[in-house]
């Protein structure tokens, strides 16, 4: 993280993306106290999709009201900060 901090001024960094690894999160908190920590969106999308598949067995069986919630959730995950 120090190498990143030395190469890119902190005020130019908008985010550091992590797969929720505690070592990365701890290093970011220590080196970049003011930086926003985000999880990798593909992991979040995978987790949301797996929860729906566990509940409904396949995407086609998801009720319409749940599809809207699923789409809103994926839109939120993919949204720009």
């Amino acid at each position: 993280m120090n190498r990143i901090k030395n190469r890119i001024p902190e005020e130019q960094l908008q985010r550091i993306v992590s797969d929720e690894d505690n070592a990365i999160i701890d290093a970011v908190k220590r080196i970049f106290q003011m930086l926003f920590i985000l999880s990798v969106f593909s992991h979040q999308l995978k987790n949301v999709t797996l929860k729906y598949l566990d509940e409904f067995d396949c995407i086609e069986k998801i009720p319409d009201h749940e599809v809207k919630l699923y789409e809103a959730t994926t839109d939120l995950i993919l949204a720009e900060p």
Side-chain angles (χ1 to χ4, degrees):
M1 291 296 151
N2 280 321
R3 284 189 287 167
I4 293 171
K5 188 173 184 173
N6 291 336
R7 290 181 183 164
I8 304 170
E10 189 168 350
E11 61 273 2
Q12 290 182 1
L13 288 174
Q14 293 182 350
R15 68 182 99 169
I16 290 182
V17 179
S18 165
D19 61 356
E20 298 182 9
D21 180 272
N22 287 335
I24 294 172
I25 292 169
D26 291 343
V28 170
K29 285 180 181 177
R30 192 175 62 253
I31 305 297
F32 301 103
Q33 291 84 22
M34 302 302 291
L35 202 56
F36 207 42
I37 301 171
L38 301 175
S39 298
V40 175
F41 68 86
S42 62
H43 291 269
Q44 294 171 337
L45 284 174
K46 178 182 172 187
N47 291 340
V48 168
T49 301
L50 288 175
K51 287 192 183 296
Y52 274 93
L53 290 177
D54 284 346
E55 179 73 24
F56 299 107
D57 296 322
C58 70
I59 297 294
E60 291 77 21
K61 291 183 181 178
I62 299 175
D64 287 341
H65 68 281
E66 291 288 339
V67 169
K68 290 178 184 174
L69 180 60
Y70 175 78
E71 289 171 350
T73 303
T74 56
D75 288 347
L76 181 61
I77 291 168
L78 296 172
E80 289 292 321

